[in-house]
Amino acid sequence: MTKRKLGQTGFSIMPIVFGGNVFGWTIDEKESFDVLDAFVDYGFDAIDTADVYSSWAPGNKGGESETIIGNWLKSRPGVRDKVKIFTKVGSDLGVPGKKGLSEKWITQAVDESLSRLGIEQIDLYFSHWPDPETPYEETLGTYDKLLKAGKIKAIGASNLDAKQLSDALEAARSHNLPRYQVLQPEYNLYDRSSFDGALRNLCIAENIGVVTYYSLASGFLSGKYRSESDLQQSKRGEGIGKYLNPRGKKILDALDIAAECHDATDAEIALAWLIAREGITAPIASATKRSHVESFAKAVEIELTDEDLKALDTASAP
């Protein structure tokens, strides 16, 4: 595996990032430790989470994922030096005042995240969602203070469209503030329209790193969900039904063919397609067992042919 520069953050990462939304939701702390150990053992080095993970699970309130990662780091002396930690601020935590990108909330939220993670510095801190009520210069000005205080090392944004990202970059330029160095969009073989085009072109032109979420379309691109009855296989099944249509089937058929050619799984091909895509630094992918992490390692070694890429692009064209 070869590391890739992550935009202008100043650091490089392996080409798959671990998605920490499963911690405290579909896997408990012990299982989380096991897959994180495997992730590092295979040479991967970046973990993505958020302060809101995993508030949607019954009995949770947010912060569970960060807490599990923090406990793992604490129990594994030396591992902190091997991994980059990404987390996010801005999602609604269901408590008055605990949402958005105001200076007041970010200043409080970053300390809460640092405490749960048990670290002194967050490697990459994301604005989770656009906040139309807060000017970019206020948010970026707050990040400037956190960067200078050493609480964060780099900043990124998630879920911005091309105009929003362009406006944020312009605000940084005009106010002499740090700019977003990484974008985290929803992007995969099925969900392409919001990133392909103007947003992707902007990221390439501005040398912005891109780490994609829902890289396997909530598991649909693994190929194990092909009918309504298959949706009962996991807790994520209810969100996958929207992919069961003719276009989704065409994508799975193309993945099946490429997977057979490369002696791989559909999920490995779907990740390999993202890794090969111009403008993408690394897909974010979740794992609930060691075999999934082994699959990540296989995915980064796959070299898709021009024919493979053309077939996948044709099948997934919106």
Side-chain angles (χ1 to χ4, degrees), residues 72-86:
W72 174 72
L73 291 171
K74 184 178 179 180
S75 67
R76 305 291 193 271
V79 79
R80 176 68 183 104
D81 296 333
K82 299 179 180 180
V83 295
K84 299 290 188 292
I85 302 296
F86 306 168

Side-chain angles (χ1 to χ4, degrees), residues 6-9 124-127 136-137 139-141 143-144 147 152-157 160 164-183 202-209:
L6 186 55
Q8 298 179 49
T9 60
L124 179 53
Y125 202 38
F126 284 96
S127 295
Y136 289 118
E137 51 266 32
T139 300
L140 297 175
Y143 290 146
D144 188 36
L147 288 161
I152 61 176
K153 190 177 290 185
I155 59 172
L160 296 185
Q164 290 166 332
L165 180 56
S166 180
D167 288 347
L169 294 174
E170 179 53 37
R173 277 190 286 264
S174 60
H175 294 276
N176 194 29
L177 292 169
R179 69 177 209 153
Y180 289 131
Q181 298 150 321
V182 183
L183 180 72
L202 178 60
C203 289
I204 292 171
E206 295 283 350
N207 190 20
I208 292 172

Side-chain angles (χ1 to χ4, degrees), residues 55 80 126 187 229 248 252:
S55 65
R80 176 68 183 104
F126 284 96
Y187 189 61
S229 59
L252 291 184

Side-chain angles (χ1 to χ4, degrees), residues 8-40:
Q8 298 179 49
T9 60
F11 54 81
S12 300
I13 60 171
M14 292 299 185
I16 290 182
V17 176
F18 195 104
N21 62 324
V22 293
F23 300 147
W25 174 31
T26 55
I27 54 176
D28 62 20
E29 183 167 285
K30 182 178 182 298
E31 294 166 324
S32 300
F33 281 21
D34 193 41
V35 292
L36 284 170
D37 287 343
F39 190 71
V40 173

Side-chain angles (χ1 to χ4, degrees), residues 115-305:
S115 178
R116 286 188 292 263
L117 290 163
I119 58 180
E120 295 183 356
Q121 185 180 54
I122 293 163
D123 295 295
L124 179 53
Y125 202 38
F126 284 96
S127 295
H128 204 160
W129 298 94
D131 178 5
E133 297 180 6
T134 304
Y136 289 118
E137 51 266 32
E138 178 180 340
T139 300
L140 297 175
T142 307
Y143 290 146
D144 188 36
K145 293 175 184 177
L146 297 180
L147 288 161
K148 289 173 178 173
K151 293 185 177 183
I152 61 176
K153 190 177 290 185
I155 59 172
S158 185
N159 299 299
L160 296 185
D161 62 26
K163 184 180 186 310
Q164 290 166 332
L165 180 56
S166 180
D167 288 347
L169 294 174
E170 179 53 37
R173 277 190 286 264
S174 60
H175 294 276
N176 194 29
L177 292 169
R179 69 177 209 153
Y180 289 131
Q181 298 150 321
V182 183
L183 180 72
Q184 186 173 141
E186 177 179 0
Y187 189 61
N188 56 61
L189 263 170
Y190 190 102
D191 300 297
R192 295 181 55 177
S193 59
S194 63
F195 181 68
D196 277 343
L199 184 55
R200 177 167 168 254
N201 293 342
L202 178 60
C203 289
I204 292 171
E206 295 283 350
N207 190 20
I208 292 172
V210 177
V211 292
T212 61
Y213 75 89
Y214 284 169
S215 302
L216 294 177
S218 297
F220 172 72
L221 298 175
S222 70
K224 67 180 181 180
Y225 302 96
R226 296 174 186 262
S227 67
E228 292 290 338
S229 59
D230 292 337
L231 302 182
Q232 312 305 316
Q233 292 182 48
S234 81
K235 296 177 182 178
R236 306 181 78 170
E238 62 185 36
I240 299 173
K242 63 183 179 181
Y243 299 114
L244 296 177
N245 55 44
R247 179 167 170 263
K249 186 177 185 306
K250 280 177 61 179
I251 293 171
L252 291 184
D253 288 344
L255 284 171
D256 290 344
I257 293 169
E260 186 174 356
C261 291
H262 291 272
D263 190 23
T265 66
D266 284 11
E268 289 160 8
I269 297 298
L271 290 174
W273 178 83
L274 281 168
I275 292 168
R277 192 96 173 119
E278 184 186 6
I280 304 298
T281 309
I284 298 169
S286 298
T288 57
K289 55 185 72 172
R290 278 181 169 261
S291 60
H292 294 161
V293 180
E294 181 181 354
S295 191
F296 296 169
K298 292 179 181 177
V300 301
E301 299 299 334
I302 293 172
E303 292 189 18
L304 295 175
T305 65

